[in-house]
Amino acid sequence: MVQPRFVRSSPSSPSSVAGEPKSSNLYVANCGPAVGLSHDAIVAAFSAFGEVKGVYAADESGVRVVVAFADPFSAKSALEALSGRPCTDLDGRTLHIRYSVLQLPSQVNECVPVSLSSSDLNIPGLFLLPDFVTAEEEQQLLAAVDTQPWIGLAKRRVQHYGYEFCYGTRNVDTRNRLGELPPFVSPILERISLFPNLDYDLASLNLDQLTVNEYPSGVGLSPHIDTHSAFEDCIFSLSLAGPCIMEFRRYSASTWKVDEEKPDSTTCIKKALYLPPRSMLLLSGEARYAWNHYIPHHKIDKVKDKVIRRSPRRVSFTLRKVRNHPCRLYFILNPLKSLESRPNKRVLSAQQMFNNTLLHLPRPILPTFTSCRASRKILSKRMSTATEPKVRKFESVEGADLNSISKPDGIRFRLVSYNILAQVYVKSSFFPHSPPVCLKWKARSHAILSVLKKLHADFFCLQEVDEYDSFYRKNMESLGYSGIYIQRTGQRKRDGCAIFYKPSCAELVTKERIEYNDLLDSVKADSVSCAVILMIHK
């Protein structure tokens, strides 16, 4: 039976405490597990007003619940007594209450057909083994983790063993080891060595990092790829206590500015797999590096015409091997050909980018002034009288000692990192030494395009880019580049960062948007970054 869904009454519905009760269900805000109030504690507090049939999460926030009474008069009494007042039985929290209405689910997740076998998805490197542990072993594992302290995140709880995974940097600190993996996972590690289709023995895998995740009902995971620079090839995930649907998405190289929770069917390939309790999932090769995996934030799923309700709790054991050396990812990606069919292609890693030919972009050297009057005088003498902007000269350091470790037969390419300077920041008051005509976008855009064209770069990393859709995209495409653009968040922020690459030189494997506001509280400038993995055509 599908669990009913309760929602807050609409603004047009009376929320006054006067008159007849409108519902036997109450929508209660500032109340839930995320603020330290268990459902049992909420039931105990509201039971003083009548029989409580149940407490349900109103949404995924963990700070809003629906209290379902057996009769509407009990709900009315609770609303009158508690709404807008501190509740002593709930740690003195001030509750905000209104009537809630019952809404039956109108639709179930049926956008992507769900497979029961990993082989049906035809994703190389993806394997699912049902009944990896017994029901008795499942209960023993759950009991073992429940004796350990949990770390609370926004929507779920986690435990880390071996090494802690830092969600802010999406990486691990290899210098800070937490210790050996706990004894209760030893049987799992032994059984992994017998995993079918495993090309590694347990000794070479040497899994040393475990993350335990606890997902409440309705909580999933956003689309992502496990950090390749942090972990080795094989990712194992054991599902316990409840089922879920895992969706796999491969985004097209030409799309970036998309809603990754609800992508258009033309922007990515989507496949879904049912993960039953006690099953073990292996992500390796193409499944590991090229496909985002994603757990929809649903409470019910549709699998082969059957509606399956998620359990109140799902726990996953994710086992990985921490990478203790620079990532050198030799992974071949092609939807039409096998891995072995393209041996002359490999992924461009960050380490390789720094160990090859670079361009040094010199900063302008400006004098230091002791007074504004002196600075205006010197700048006036140096002001250019040209009506067209001068093209900057770049110094090549190709022959310099860069401590390169590239081999003679290695791949050589040219990468340019360039702060374009967004047009919104180009003001005469900032650049008094430049003629106003040179600061106009029409003149600047001509000069910028001329500079980029003459650099003959294989890859461009550009900062403070605005006018992307109206200028950069079409002009760079005419020069043979494909682009990825990330705009800064905020209504008044028009600029962002862009990466351009030549499809004839490389192929996009994956990309990542980094919001610094989410990582550091001290950052207030809506700063963003774009990180990509590219596969070079040798």
Side-chain angles (χ1 to χ4, degrees), residues 253-517:
S254 60
T255 58
W256 172 250
K257 296 169 65 176
V258 296
D259 181 354
E260 294 202 340
E261 294 290 333
K262 299 178 181 179
D264 185 83
S265 59
T266 61
T267 64
C268 75
I269 303 171
K270 296 184 289 185
K271 301 181 180 183
L273 180 64
Y274 175 64
L275 305 183
R278 301 182 293 281
S279 64
M280 177 68 85
L281 181 73
L282 168 60
L283 300 177
S284 62
E286 181 175 326
R288 155 83 167 96
Y289 295 111
W291 292 76
N292 284 258
H293 54 279
Y294 160 54
I295 299 178
H297 301 270
H298 297 157
K299 291 187 177 181
I300 53 176
D301 297 296
K302 188 172 183 179
V303 181
K304 300 294 184 181
D305 297 325
K306 292 179 61 177
V307 173
I308 298 178
R309 180 163 59 92
R310 303 238 183 124
S311 62
R313 179 196 196 198
R314 175 180 174 267
V315 175
S316 69
F317 282 37
T318 303
L319 287 154
R320 297 171 284 207
K321 164 64 177 171
V322 171
R323 192 184 297 275
N324 293 302
H325 54 83
C327 178
R328 297 185 179 278
L329 181 59
Y330 295 88
F331 173 69
I332 300 163
L333 172 62
N334 191 311
L336 304 178
K337 301 181 181 180
S338 65
L339 301 185
E340 293 77 17
S341 65
R342 301 175 72 184
N344 292 327
K345 293 193 175 184
R346 65 181 181 179
V347 167
L348 165 62
S349 70
Q351 185 67 40
Q352 291 170 309
M353 295 172 72
F354 285 109
N355 290 335
N356 284 274
T357 303
L358 301 176
L359 286 179
H360 173 63
L361 307 184
R363 295 182 178 179
I365 301 176
L366 298 177
T368 302
F369 304 113
T370 57
S371 69
C372 295
R373 180 178 298 178
S375 65
R376 285 196 298 268
K377 183 176 181 181
I378 295 176
L379 288 174
S380 297
K381 289 183 177 180
R382 296 187 178 184
M383 179 179 291
S384 171
T385 58
T387 58
E388 290 291 335
K390 292 184 178 180
V391 176
R392 295 181 63 184
K393 294 182 179 181
F394 292 82
E395 297 178 9
S396 174
V397 294
E398 185 171 347
D401 182 11
L402 298 178
N403 297 319
S404 175
I405 60 174
S406 59
K407 298 179 180 179
D409 59 345
I411 300 174
R412 298 185 64 82
F413 58 86
R414 173 170 289 192
L415 181 145
V416 173
S417 178
Y418 195 179
N419 189 311
I420 295 293
L421 184 62
Q423 186 63 23
V424 67
Y425 307 127
V426 180
K427 300 179 180 180
S428 297
S429 58
F430 296 163
F431 303 95
H433 58 288
S434 297
V437 66
C438 297
L439 302 179
K440 300 295 185 181
W441 174 241
K442 183 176 181 180
R444 284 195 69 233
S445 61
H446 174 76
I448 290 171
L449 188 61
S450 177
V451 169
L452 298 180
K453 184 176 181 180
K454 292 180 179 179
L455 288 173
H456 301 292
D458 300 306
F459 307 96
F460 281 107
C461 298
L462 307 182
Q463 303 90 45
E464 291 196 24
V465 175
D466 55 3
E467 308 294 343
Y468 177 79
D469 292 319
S470 62
F471 174 74
Y472 286 99
R473 175 186 293 182
K474 61 181 180 180
N475 283 289
M476 294 302 287
E477 285 180 354
S478 67
L479 297 178
Y481 294 92
S482 292
I484 302 162
Y485 177 63
I486 302 296
Q487 185 172 333
R488 288 206 287 167
T489 53
Q491 296 180 351
R492 302 180 65 181
K493 309 296 185 182
R494 295 185 54 197
D495 64 299
C497 52
I499 294 178
F500 291 98
Y501 64 97
K502 290 185 177 180
S504 59
C505 179
E507 180 177 335
L508 179 65
V509 176
T510 188
K511 67 278 184 185
E512 187 74 27
R513 178 191 182 102
I514 302 173
E515 294 272 3
Y516 288 103
N517 282 3

Side-chain angles (χ1 to χ4, degrees), residues 2-7 57-58 66 100-106 299:
V2 177
Q3 181 180 2
R5 180 189 178 199
F6 298 94
V7 296
V66 170
S100 180
V101 295
L102 175 64
Q103 182 182 65
L104 293 176
S106 59
K299 291 187 177 181

Side-chain angles (χ1 to χ4, degrees), residues 24-185:
S24 60
N25 309 308
L26 297 179
Y27 181 96
V28 186
N30 197 28
C31 182
V35 292
L37 302 178
S38 67
H39 284 192
D40 291 339
I42 298 171
V43 170
F46 280 84
S47 293
F49 304 94
E51 179 186 354
V52 176
K53 296 176 62 177
V55 174
Y56 308 95
D59 50 35
E60 300 171 5
S61 67
V63 297
R64 290 177 284 271
V65 299
V66 170
V67 179
F69 282 95
D71 63 273
F73 292 98
S74 298
K76 183 175 184 291
S77 299
L79 188 150
E80 292 174 343
L82 300 178
S83 183
R85 300 181 178 90
C87 179
T88 56
D89 293 332
L90 296 176
D91 298 336
R93 302 197 71 85
T94 299
L95 307 181
H96 305 280
I97 307 174
R98 65 189 301 175
Y99 287 112
S100 180
V101 295
L102 175 64
Q103 182 182 65
L104 293 176
S106 59
Q107 61 181 12
V108 182
N109 175 39
E110 51 186 349
C111 299
V112 183
V114 179
S115 300
L116 300 178
S117 172
S118 58
S119 59
D120 295 339
L121 271 61
N122 194 28
I123 299 178
L126 175 66
F127 304 99
L128 177 69
L129 192 62
D131 298 318
F132 189 80
V133 297
T134 65
E136 181 180 359
E137 290 172 327
E138 177 185 39
Q139 294 304 315
Q140 293 173 352
L141 291 170
L142 293 173
V145 297
D146 284 337
T147 62
Q148 304 299 316
W150 292 91
I151 301 172
L153 302 181
K155 297 181 181 180
R156 66 185 193 275
R157 300 192 300 173
V158 299
Q159 295 178 14
H160 298 292
Y161 299 92
Y163 296 89
E164 180 179 1
F165 182 78
C166 180
Y167 295 95
T169 61
R170 299 186 182 183
N171 213 323
V172 295
D173 184 357
T174 57
R175 299 167 297 180
N176 183 24
R177 190 174 185 187
L178 304 178
E180 299 293 333
L181 295 185
F184 58 78
V185 297

